Amino acid sequence: MVPPLSVETTLTRSAQPKALHQRKPSLTTACPPSGRPAHIKHNSSPTSSSTLLAFRRLLRLRIVRWLGWLYIASSIFLTTIHLLSSISGQRSAHLSSHTVGLSSSSASSPLSQAAIASAPGYDSPLNSVTTSLRLGKMFSKSMVRMDHIRPYWFTASTPPEGLTLTTVLTMDEWPDLIRLAGQWQGPISATLQITTPSQSGGLGSAAVVQHLSQLRHDYETHASLHRHVDLHLVVRPTAQTTATSTATGAGMQDGRNLARLFSRTSTIAVVPVTTLWMTPTIKDAAFDYADLLQNGHVLVVPTFGFPRSKHAVTDVWPTTKTDMVAAADQGQMGILDYHWRLNQGPTSYANWREATEPYKLPAYDYHYGPVTIMRRDDHPWCEERFADEISACLYATYLAGAEIYVLPNDYLVRTGQEPENKLSLDERQMQVSMYKNYRIEQCVFYARQFDQDNTFDDKKAEHVQQECAKALGSLRKEKMISAAGRRRTVRRSTDTNFGLESPATSPSTLG
């Protein structure tokens, strides 16, 4: 029997706090698995949870959903508008350019500068450049600067066809052009050079106005001029103001290029304006031997002249080959090749005398400057570093691979008393030195061109191998042109052959 508790014992127990209930430790909590934390805390960031809950409640609002759909619809609409506008702009630009092209191609004359500048898409500053400035830039490296260039100052009324004579002249040779036009009765492209003091005002000077008045009067009174001659005007400033000074032949090279450039037929003949007469069958010869011209070759028209004499009679000459042969055999006339005596030049009177078909020039010489017939666009231009060197016009053509054929039955007549050019003695000596350097430069240029095209051993490169051997002393491909595996030594070996100090030596120091 349990004894009853005393009052003190009961009070003591009631005063003690009641013990809390504690879960018994389990195997998982007492020994947690390795790699897992012993305690995992849930709801570690109550702030982020509340933010996410608020955002979800916001998305459930109808006004927010309407704003979102409105943004998507406006974006799609604006993108569509932008694409359609860009496509329509490209189409209108294409149509406008096509319309301008049709109008320019269908028009009988070129568009004026004002029409081009006002056309859509043609707002380039180059459209306002004058014709004089354009041509001045084209001939910016000419030896004599051009003050005024006016192509087609007078234009032939008869549409040109067939063979066009190209020539260059000064005002003192103007009567020669009138005679040549009357004798030829065919298209002529002539460059007239008028010199004027630099302070006289160019085209507005009194001397130039007087010359232009004379030109207009002659064009109105001579039917052969206004029917067949396209006249291109060049006014050159000069410092010569003395009464005894005369205009030299400066600028004849670029004058020849101008006449050739503005020729309105594809076949041209480079003829001196002082020509007295030519066989009328030259026009037929250019047509009969068109295959040679199409293949890039050149036809030569032999030039006959009278022996130099103070008492020479130059107003009567034979007009058939038979009579010309008889006169040449008697020494009354002969083939005129400057730098040689009559009948002693490269044209070869002996070959021409017996020829019935065009024959290849027996022996070319770099001084050779005959009357030539060629395609306007198939050959190099006359080198404009020279004042007047007609042989330089043919030299580059010859090195480029063109063969030279002499016409068997046609010829032209000159007096034979006129000089080769109008240069002074100092100018001629300077030009001789320049021509020597020019020959070397052209040899190097064309030899490297043939080597790069792998045609140095072809027949077309024979002229380079033969002529440059004369210009350089001895020309061998392994010394002048590098092989495929020695490209880097080209410049060094070339300079060694030419005696240059360094590859950077300027062309003017050659020779």
Side-chain angles (χ1 to χ4, degrees), residues 363-394:
Y364 172 79
D365 189 275
Y366 62 90
H367 288 120
Y368 189 49
V371 173
T372 56
I373 300 176
M374 64 180 66
R375 299 280 295 177
R376 178 191 58 196
D377 304 325
D378 294 349
H379 300 282
W381 299 88
C382 291
E383 179 57 46
E384 296 176 2
R385 76 181 70 180
F386 304 109
D388 187 6
E389 187 62 66
I390 185 63
S391 58
C393 303
L394 186 60

PDB file of all heavy atoms in Angstrom, residues 363-394:
ATOM      1  N   ALA A 363      61.547  44.970-143.140  1.00  0.00           N
ATOM      2  CA  ALA A 363      62.389  45.243-141.970  1.00  0.00           C
ATOM      3  C   ALA A 363      61.856  46.476-141.253  1.00  0.00           C
ATOM      4  O   ALA A 363      61.905  47.587-141.806  1.00  0.00           O
ATOM      5  CB  ALA A 363      63.842  45.445-142.386  1.00  0.00           C
ATOM      6  N   TYR A 364      61.352  46.275-140.040  1.00  0.00           N
ATOM      7  CA  TYR A 364      60.809  47.407-139.273  1.00  0.00           C
ATOM      8  C   TYR A 364      61.944  48.162-138.593  1.00  0.00           C
ATOM      9  O   TYR A 364      62.960  47.586-138.173  1.00  0.00           O
ATOM     10  CB  TYR A 364      59.812  46.914-138.229  1.00  0.00           C
ATOM     11  CG  TYR A 364      59.356  48.003-137.284  1.00  0.00           C
ATOM     12  CD1 TYR A 364      58.402  48.927-137.668  1.00  0.00           C
ATOM     13  CD2 TYR A 364      59.915  48.112-136.012  1.00  0.00           C
ATOM     14  CE1 TYR A 364      57.986  49.940-136.820  1.00  0.00           C
ATOM     15  CE2 TYR A 364      59.506  49.119-135.150  1.00  0.00           C
ATOM     16  CZ  TYR A 364      58.546  50.036-135.562  1.00  0.00           C
ATOM     17  OH  TYR A 364      58.149  51.040-134.720  1.00  0.00           O
ATOM     18  N   ASP A 365      61.765  49.465-138.460  1.00  0.00           N
ATOM     19  CA  ASP A 365      62.702  50.321-137.738  1.00  0.00           C
ATOM     20  C   ASP A 365      61.903  51.269-136.852  1.00  0.00           C
ATOM     21  O   ASP A 365      60.824  51.738-137.245  1.00  0.00           O
ATOM     22  CB  ASP A 365      63.588  51.105-138.708  1.00  0.00           C
ATOM     23  CG  ASP A 365      64.703  51.839-137.997  1.00  0.00           C
ATOM     24  OD1 ASP A 365      64.462  52.979-137.517  1.00  0.00           O
ATOM     25  OD2 ASP A 365      65.817  51.280-137.894  1.00  0.00           O
ATOM     26  N   TYR A 366      62.431  51.561-135.669  1.00  0.00           N
ATOM     27  CA  TYR A 366      61.670  52.373-134.719  1.00  0.00           C
ATOM     28  C   TYR A 366      61.518  53.820-135.167  1.00  0.00           C
ATOM     29  O   TYR A 366      60.743  54.579-134.569  1.00  0.00           O
ATOM     30  CB  TYR A 366      62.312  52.307-133.332  1.00  0.00           C
ATOM     31  CG  TYR A 366      63.717  52.858-133.247  1.00  0.00           C
ATOM     32  CD1 TYR A 366      63.945  54.198-132.953  1.00  0.00           C
ATOM     33  CD2 TYR A 366      64.820  52.038-133.444  1.00  0.00           C
ATOM     34  CE1 TYR A 366      65.226  54.710-132.866  1.00  0.00           C
ATOM     35  CE2 TYR A 366      66.108  52.525-133.355  1.00  0.00           C
ATOM     36  CZ  TYR A 366      66.309  53.864-133.068  1.00  0.00           C
ATOM     37  OH  TYR A 366      67.585  54.356-132.991  1.00  0.00           O
ATOM     38  N   HIS A 367      62.228  54.261-136.200  1.00  0.00           N
ATOM     39  CA  HIS A 367      62.041  55.603-136.748  1.00  0.00           C
ATOM     40  C   HIS A 367      60.919  55.645-137.788  1.00  0.00           C
ATOM     41  O   HIS A 367      60.608  56.724-138.294  1.00  0.00           O
ATOM     42  CB  HIS A 367      63.332  56.104-137.396  1.00  0.00           C
ATOM     43  CG  HIS A 367      64.403  56.447-136.415  1.00  0.00           C
ATOM     44  ND1 HIS A 367      65.639  55.835-136.400  1.00  0.00           N
ATOM     45  CD2 HIS A 367      64.410  57.341-135.381  1.00  0.00           C
ATOM     46  CE1 HIS A 367      66.363  56.333-135.417  1.00  0.00           C
ATOM     47  NE2 HIS A 367      65.642  57.245-134.789  1.00  0.00           N
ATOM     48  N   TYR A 368      60.352  54.506-138.092  1.00  0.00           N
ATOM     49  CA  TYR A 368      59.398  54.396-139.192  1.00  0.00           C
ATOM     50  C   TYR A 368      58.057  54.989-138.785  1.00  0.00           C
ATOM     51  O   TYR A 368      57.448  54.555-137.800  1.00  0.00           O
ATOM     52  CB  TYR A 368      59.245  52.919-139.564  1.00  0.00           C
ATOM     53  CG  TYR A 368      58.456  52.643-140.817  1.00  0.00           C
ATOM     54  CD1 TYR A 368      58.708  53.321-142.001  1.00  0.00           C
ATOM     55  CD2 TYR A 368      57.446  51.678-140.815  1.00  0.00           C
ATOM     56  CE1 TYR A 368      58.001  53.046-143.155  1.00  0.00           C
ATOM     57  CE2 TYR A 368      56.729  51.389-141.968  1.00  0.00           C
ATOM     58  CZ  TYR A 368      57.010  52.082-143.127  1.00  0.00           C
ATOM     59  OH  TYR A 368      56.297  51.804-144.278  1.00  0.00           O
ATOM     60  N   GLY A 369      57.591  55.989-139.551  1.00  0.00           N
ATOM     61  CA  GLY A 369      56.317  56.640-139.250  1.00  0.00           C
ATOM     62  C   GLY A 369      55.504  56.877-140.506  1.00  0.00           C
ATOM     63  O   GLY A 369      55.336  58.034-140.926  1.00  0.00           O
ATOM     64  N   PRO A 370      54.973  55.837-141.135  1.00  0.00           N
ATOM     65  CA  PRO A 370      54.243  56.005-142.399  1.00  0.00           C
ATOM     66  C   PRO A 370      52.788  56.388-142.192  1.00  0.00           C
ATOM     67  O   PRO A 370      52.311  56.543-141.062  1.00  0.00           O
ATOM     68  CB  PRO A 370      54.348  54.606-143.023  1.00  0.00           C
ATOM     69  CG  PRO A 370      54.297  53.693-141.825  1.00  0.00           C
ATOM     70  CD  PRO A 370      55.015  54.420-140.707  1.00  0.00           C
ATOM     71  N   VAL A 371      52.067  56.523-143.288  1.00  0.00           N
ATOM     72  CA  VAL A 371      50.617  56.684-143.250  1.00  0.00           C
ATOM     73  C   VAL A 371      50.011  55.305-143.029  1.00  0.00           C
ATOM     74  O   VAL A 371      50.284  54.366-143.780  1.00  0.00           O
ATOM     75  CB  VAL A 371      50.098  57.306-144.564  1.00  0.00           C
ATOM     76  CG1 VAL A 371      48.579  57.310-144.589  1.00  0.00           C
ATOM     77  CG2 VAL A 371      50.642  58.718-144.722  1.00  0.00           C
ATOM     78  N   THR A 372      49.199  55.166-142.003  1.00  0.00           N
ATOM     79  CA  THR A 372      48.676  53.859-141.609  1.00  0.00           C
ATOM     80  C   THR A 372      47.157  53.846-141.631  1.00  0.00           C
ATOM     81  O   THR A 372      46.506  54.870-141.402  1.00  0.00           O
ATOM     82  CB  THR A 372      49.169  53.475-140.207  1.00  0.00           C
ATOM     83  OG1 THR A 372      48.810  54.515-139.279  1.00  0.00           O
ATOM     84  CG2 THR A 372      50.680  53.276-140.205  1.00  0.00           C
ATOM     85  N   ILE A 373      46.612  52.660-141.889  1.00  0.00           N
ATOM     86  CA  ILE A 373      45.179  52.394-141.787  1.00  0.00           C
ATOM     87  C   ILE A 373      44.990  51.330-140.716  1.00  0.00           C
ATOM     88  O   ILE A 373      45.674  50.295-140.752  1.00  0.00           O
ATOM     89  CB  ILE A 373      44.592  51.920-143.130  1.00  0.00           C
ATOM     90  CG1 ILE A 373      44.795  52.986-144.211  1.00  0.00           C
ATOM     91  CG2 ILE A 373      43.119  51.586-142.985  1.00  0.00           C
ATOM     92  CD1 ILE A 373      44.327  52.545-145.588  1.00  0.00           C
ATOM     93  N   MET A 374      44.099  51.573-139.775  1.00  0.00           N
ATOM     94  CA  MET A 374      43.930  50.650-138.653  1.00  0.00           C
ATOM     95  C   MET A 374      42.518  50.764-138.093  1.00  0.00           C
ATOM     96  O   MET A 374      41.755  51.664-138.463  1.00  0.00           O
ATOM     97  CB  MET A 374      44.949  50.958-137.556  1.00  0.00           C
ATOM     98  CG  MET A 374      44.772  52.318-136.926  1.00  0.00           C
ATOM     99  SD  MET A 374      45.964  52.681-135.623  1.00  0.00           S
ATOM    100  CE  MET A 374      47.475  52.734-136.549  1.00  0.00           C
ATOM    101  N   ARG A 375      42.204  49.878-137.194  1.00  0.00           N
ATOM    102  CA  ARG A 375      40.959  49.962-136.440  1.00  0.00           C
ATOM    103  C   ARG A 375      41.127  51.001-135.335  1.00  0.00           C
ATOM    104  O   ARG A 375      42.151  51.053-134.660  1.00  0.00           O
ATOM    105  CB  ARG A 375      40.614  48.600-135.839  1.00  0.00           C
ATOM    106  CG  ARG A 375      40.394  47.499-136.857  1.00  0.00           C
ATOM    107  CD  ARG A 375      39.026  47.566-137.474  1.00  0.00           C
ATOM    108  NE  ARG A 375      37.980  47.323-136.484  1.00  0.00           N
ATOM    109  CZ  ARG A 375      36.677  47.381-136.768  1.00  0.00           C
ATOM    110  NH1 ARG A 375      36.275  47.691-137.973  1.00  0.00           N
ATOM    111  NH2 ARG A 375      35.790  47.128-135.827  1.00  0.00           N
ATOM    112  N   ARG A 376      40.099  51.802-135.141  1.00  0.00           N
ATOM    113  CA  ARG A 376      40.199  52.908-134.188  1.00  0.00           C
ATOM    114  C   ARG A 376      40.429  52.435-132.755  1.00  0.00           C
ATOM    115  O   ARG A 376      41.203  53.060-132.010  1.00  0.00           O
ATOM    116  CB  ARG A 376      38.909  53.733-134.253  1.00  0.00           C
ATOM    117  CG  ARG A 376      38.836  54.901-133.286  1.00  0.00           C
ATOM    118  CD  ARG A 376      37.426  55.462-133.261  1.00  0.00           C
ATOM    119  NE  ARG A 376      36.469  54.424-132.883  1.00  0.00           N
ATOM    120  CZ  ARG A 376      35.156  54.530-133.070  1.00  0.00           C
ATOM    121  NH1 ARG A 376      34.649  55.606-133.643  1.00  0.00           N
ATOM    122  NH2 ARG A 376      34.355  53.553-132.688  1.00  0.00           N
ATOM    123  N   ASP A 377      39.804  51.321-132.357  1.00  0.00           N
ATOM    124  CA  ASP A 377      39.793  50.925-130.950  1.00  0.00           C
ATOM    125  C   ASP A 377      40.690  49.732-130.638  1.00  0.00           C
ATOM    126  O   ASP A 377      40.617  49.205-129.528  1.00  0.00           O
ATOM    127  CB  ASP A 377      38.356  50.587-130.523  1.00  0.00           C
ATOM    128  CG  ASP A 377      37.390  51.722-130.775  1.00  0.00           C
ATOM    129  OD1 ASP A 377      37.810  52.889-130.629  1.00  0.00           O
ATOM    130  OD2 ASP A 377      36.218  51.443-131.112  1.00  0.00           O
ATOM    131  N   ASP A 378      41.521  49.307-131.565  1.00  0.00           N
ATOM    132  CA  ASP A 378      42.266  48.059-131.365  1.00  0.00           C
ATOM    133  C   ASP A 378      43.741  48.255-131.062  1.00  0.00           C
ATOM    134  O   ASP A 378      44.451  47.259-130.879  1.00  0.00           O
ATOM    135  CB  ASP A 378      42.142  47.168-132.616  1.00  0.00           C
ATOM    136  CG  ASP A 378      40.718  46.683-132.835  1.00  0.00           C
ATOM    137  OD1 ASP A 378      39.891  46.870-131.917  1.00  0.00           O
ATOM    138  OD2 ASP A 378      40.432  46.131-133.909  1.00  0.00           O
ATOM    139  N   HIS A 379      44.231  49.486-130.993  1.00  0.00           N
ATOM    140  CA  HIS A 379      45.668  49.696-130.899  1.00  0.00           C
ATOM    141  C   HIS A 379      45.993  50.753-129.856  1.00  0.00           C
ATOM    142  O   HIS A 379      45.122  51.565-129.492  1.00  0.00           O
ATOM    143  CB  HIS A 379      46.240  50.108-132.265  1.00  0.00           C
ATOM    144  CG  HIS A 379      46.008  49.091-133.343  1.00  0.00           C
ATOM    145  ND1 HIS A 379      46.757  47.941-133.453  1.00  0.00           N
ATOM    146  CD2 HIS A 379      45.086  49.045-134.346  1.00  0.00           C
ATOM    147  CE1 HIS A 379      46.311  47.237-134.486  1.00  0.00           C
ATOM    148  NE2 HIS A 379      45.307  47.869-135.039  1.00  0.00           N
ATOM    149  N   PRO A 380      47.233  50.769-129.352  1.00  0.00           N
ATOM    150  CA  PRO A 380      47.625  51.791-128.367  1.00  0.00           C
ATOM    151  C   PRO A 380      47.533  53.187-128.959  1.00  0.00           C
ATOM    152  O   PRO A 380      47.610  53.395-130.170  1.00  0.00           O
ATOM    153  CB  PRO A 380      49.081  51.413-128.032  1.00  0.00           C
ATOM    154  CG  PRO A 380      49.218  49.980-128.417  1.00  0.00           C
ATOM    155  CD  PRO A 380      48.310  49.777-129.579  1.00  0.00           C
ATOM    156  N   TRP A 381      47.398  54.150-128.063  1.00  0.00           N
ATOM    157  CA  TRP A 381      47.325  55.554-128.475  1.00  0.00           C
ATOM    158  C   TRP A 381      48.725  56.121-128.647  1.00  0.00           C
ATOM    159  O   TRP A 381      49.714  55.562-128.158  1.00  0.00           O
ATOM    160  CB  TRP A 381      46.549  56.368-127.441  1.00  0.00           C
ATOM    161  CG  TRP A 381      45.148  55.901-127.273  1.00  0.00           C
ATOM    162  CD1 TRP A 381      44.708  54.926-126.430  1.00  0.00           C
ATOM    163  CD2 TRP A 381      43.993  56.363-127.978  1.00  0.00           C
ATOM    164  NE1 TRP A 381      43.359  54.743-126.559  1.00  0.00           N
ATOM    165  CE2 TRP A 381      42.882  55.613-127.504  1.00  0.00           C
ATOM    166  CE3 TRP A 381      43.774  57.319-128.955  1.00  0.00           C
ATOM    167  CZ2 TRP A 381      41.592  55.816-127.977  1.00  0.00           C
ATOM    168  CZ3 TRP A 381      42.488  57.526-129.429  1.00  0.00           C
ATOM    169  CH2 TRP A 381      41.421  56.779-128.940  1.00  0.00           C
ATOM    170  N   CYS A 382      48.803  57.252-129.310  1.00  0.00           N
ATOM    171  CA  CYS A 382      50.090  57.935-129.478  1.00  0.00           C
ATOM    172  C   CYS A 382      50.592  58.406-128.113  1.00  0.00           C
ATOM    173  O   CYS A 382      49.825  58.948-127.309  1.00  0.00           O
ATOM    174  CB  CYS A 382      49.957  59.126-130.421  1.00  0.00           C
ATOM    175  SG  CYS A 382      49.638  58.674-132.145  1.00  0.00           S
ATOM    176  N   GLU A 383      51.876  58.200-127.867  1.00  0.00           N
ATOM    177  CA  GLU A 383      52.467  58.617-126.596  1.00  0.00           C
ATOM    178  C   GLU A 383      52.544  60.139-126.541  1.00  0.00           C
ATOM    179  O   GLU A 383      53.159  60.785-127.401  1.00  0.00           O
ATOM    180  CB  GLU A 383      53.862  58.013-126.450  1.00  0.00           C
ATOM    181  CG  GLU A 383      54.577  58.392-125.182  1.00  0.00           C
ATOM    182  CD  GLU A 383      53.790  58.009-123.933  1.00  0.00           C
ATOM    183  OE1 GLU A 383      53.287  56.871-123.874  1.00  0.00           O
ATOM    184  OE2 GLU A 383      53.674  58.867-123.035  1.00  0.00           O
ATOM    185  N   GLU A 384      51.925  60.726-125.504  1.00  0.00           N
ATOM    186  CA  GLU A 384      51.781  62.176-125.438  1.00  0.00           C
ATOM    187  C   GLU A 384      52.912  62.868-124.686  1.00  0.00           C
ATOM    188  O   GLU A 384      52.850  64.088-124.500  1.00  0.00           O
ATOM    189  CB  GLU A 384      50.432  62.524-124.804  1.00  0.00           C
ATOM    190  CG  GLU A 384      49.253  62.061-125.644  1.00  0.00           C
ATOM    191  CD  GLU A 384      47.917  62.324-124.972  1.00  0.00           C
ATOM    192  OE1 GLU A 384      47.924  62.893-123.868  1.00  0.00           O
ATOM    193  OE2 GLU A 384      46.883  61.949-125.551  1.00  0.00           O
ATOM    194  N   ARG A 385      53.915  62.118-124.283  1.00  0.00           N
ATOM    195  CA  ARG A 385      55.072  62.786-123.689  1.00  0.00           C
ATOM    196  C   ARG A 385      55.889  63.510-124.753  1.00  0.00           C
ATOM    197  O   ARG A 385      56.689  64.395-124.440  1.00  0.00           O
ATOM    198  CB  ARG A 385      55.947  61.770-122.957  1.00  0.00           C
ATOM    199  CG  ARG A 385      56.789  60.887-123.865  1.00  0.00           C
ATOM    200  CD  ARG A 385      57.616  59.897-123.085  1.00  0.00           C
ATOM    201  NE  ARG A 385      56.783  58.872-122.484  1.00  0.00           N
ATOM    202  CZ  ARG A 385      57.266  57.872-121.742  1.00  0.00           C
ATOM    203  NH1 ARG A 385      58.566  57.790-121.528  1.00  0.00           N
ATOM    204  NH2 ARG A 385      56.451  56.977-121.240  1.00  0.00           N
ATOM    205  N   PHE A 386      55.697  63.108-126.018  1.00  0.00           N
ATOM    206  CA  PHE A 386      56.420  63.736-127.117  1.00  0.00           C
ATOM    207  C   PHE A 386      55.607  64.893-127.674  1.00  0.00           C
ATOM    208  O   PHE A 386      54.375  64.887-127.639  1.00  0.00           O
ATOM    209  CB  PHE A 386      56.687  62.722-128.233  1.00  0.00           C
ATOM    210  CG  PHE A 386      57.431  61.499-127.772  1.00  0.00           C
ATOM    211  CD1 PHE A 386      56.792  60.278-127.693  1.00  0.00           C
ATOM    212  CD2 PHE A 386      58.768  61.573-127.419  1.00  0.00           C
ATOM    213  CE1 PHE A 386      57.460  59.151-127.272  1.00  0.00           C
ATOM    214  CE2 PHE A 386      59.444  60.449-126.993  1.00  0.00           C
ATOM    215  CZ  PHE A 386      58.801  59.239-126.911  1.00  0.00           C
ATOM    216  N   ALA A 387      56.330  65.872-128.217  1.00  0.00           N
ATOM    217  CA  ALA A 387      55.652  66.977-128.879  1.00  0.00           C
ATOM    218  C   ALA A 387      55.134  66.551-130.244  1.00  0.00           C
ATOM    219  O   ALA A 387      53.969  66.786-130.581  1.00  0.00           O
ATOM    220  CB  ALA A 387      56.602  68.165-129.020  1.00  0.00           C
ATOM    221  N   ASP A 388      55.978  65.899-131.040  1.00  0.00           N
ATOM    222  CA  ASP A 388      55.574  65.458-132.376  1.00  0.00           C
ATOM    223  C   ASP A 388      56.500  64.317-132.790  1.00  0.00           C
ATOM    224  O   ASP A 388      57.594  64.549-133.299  1.00  0.00           O
ATOM    225  CB  ASP A 388      55.657  66.621-133.369  1.00  0.00           C
ATOM    226  CG  ASP A 388      55.083  66.254-134.728  1.00  0.00           C
ATOM    227  OD1 ASP A 388      54.521  65.152-134.855  1.00  0.00           O
ATOM    228  OD2 ASP A 388      55.204  67.074-135.664  1.00  0.00           O
ATOM    229  N   GLU A 389      56.065  63.081-132.545  1.00  0.00           N
ATOM    230  CA  GLU A 389      56.851  61.886-132.888  1.00  0.00           C
ATOM    231  C   GLU A 389      55.896  60.827-133.412  1.00  0.00           C
ATOM    232  O   GLU A 389      55.403  59.969-132.676  1.00  0.00           O
ATOM    233  CB  GLU A 389      57.613  61.377-131.664  1.00  0.00           C
ATOM    234  CG  GLU A 389      58.589  60.249-131.952  1.00  0.00           C
ATOM    235  CD  GLU A 389      59.697  60.659-132.901  1.00  0.00           C
ATOM    236  OE1 GLU A 389      60.524  61.519-132.532  1.00  0.00           O
ATOM    237  OE2 GLU A 389      59.710  60.127-134.026  1.00  0.00           O
ATOM    238  N   ILE A 390      55.611  60.909-134.717  1.00  0.00           N
ATOM    239  CA  ILE A 390      54.628  60.007-135.312  1.00  0.00           C
ATOM    240  C   ILE A 390      55.095  58.560-135.250  1.00  0.00           C
ATOM    241  O   ILE A 390      54.286  57.630-135.163  1.00  0.00           O
ATOM    242  CB  ILE A 390      54.347  60.432-136.773  1.00  0.00           C
ATOM    243  CG1 ILE A 390      53.225  59.585-137.377  1.00  0.00           C
ATOM    244  CG2 ILE A 390      55.613  60.365-137.600  1.00  0.00           C
ATOM    245  CD1 ILE A 390      51.896  59.722-136.716  1.00  0.00           C
ATOM    246  N   SER A 391      56.407  58.313-135.264  1.00  0.00           N
ATOM    247  CA  SER A 391      56.906  56.937-135.217  1.00  0.00           C
ATOM    248  C   SER A 391      56.593  56.265-133.884  1.00  0.00           C
ATOM    249  O   SER A 391      56.449  55.046-133.822  1.00  0.00           O
ATOM    250  CB  SER A 391      58.413  56.915-135.476  1.00  0.00           C
ATOM    251  OG  SER A 391      59.104  57.714-134.528  1.00  0.00           O
ATOM    252  N   ALA A 392      56.459  57.053-132.798  1.00  0.00           N
ATOM    253  CA  ALA A 392      56.117  56.468-131.504  1.00  0.00           C
ATOM    254  C   ALA A 392      54.706  55.905-131.500  1.00  0.00           C
ATOM    255  O   ALA A 392      54.394  55.000-130.715  1.00  0.00           O
ATOM    256  CB  ALA A 392      56.271  57.513-130.400  1.00  0.00           C
ATOM    257  N   CYS A 393      53.832  56.437-132.378  1.00  0.00           N
ATOM    258  CA  CYS A 393      52.468  55.916-132.452  1.00  0.00           C
ATOM    259  C   CYS A 393      52.451  54.488-132.968  1.00  0.00           C
ATOM    260  O   CYS A 393      51.612  53.675-132.566  1.00  0.00           O
ATOM    261  CB  CYS A 393      51.622  56.807-133.361  1.00  0.00           C
ATOM    262  SG  CYS A 393      51.551  58.545-132.856  1.00  0.00           S
ATOM    263  N   LEU A 394      53.369  54.171-133.884  1.00  0.00           N
ATOM    264  CA  LEU A 394      53.417  52.835-134.466  1.00  0.00           C
ATOM    265  C   LEU A 394      54.274  51.884-133.647  1.00  0.00           C
ATOM    266  O   LEU A 394      54.089  50.664-133.715  1.00  0.00           O
ATOM    267  CB  LEU A 394      53.954  52.919-135.897  1.00  0.00           C
ATOM    268  CG  LEU A 394      53.948  51.637-136.731  1.00  0.00           C
ATOM    269  CD1 LEU A 394      52.527  51.102-136.889  1.00  0.00           C
ATOM    270  CD2 LEU A 394      54.589  51.865-138.087  1.00  0.00           C
TER     271      LEU A 394
END
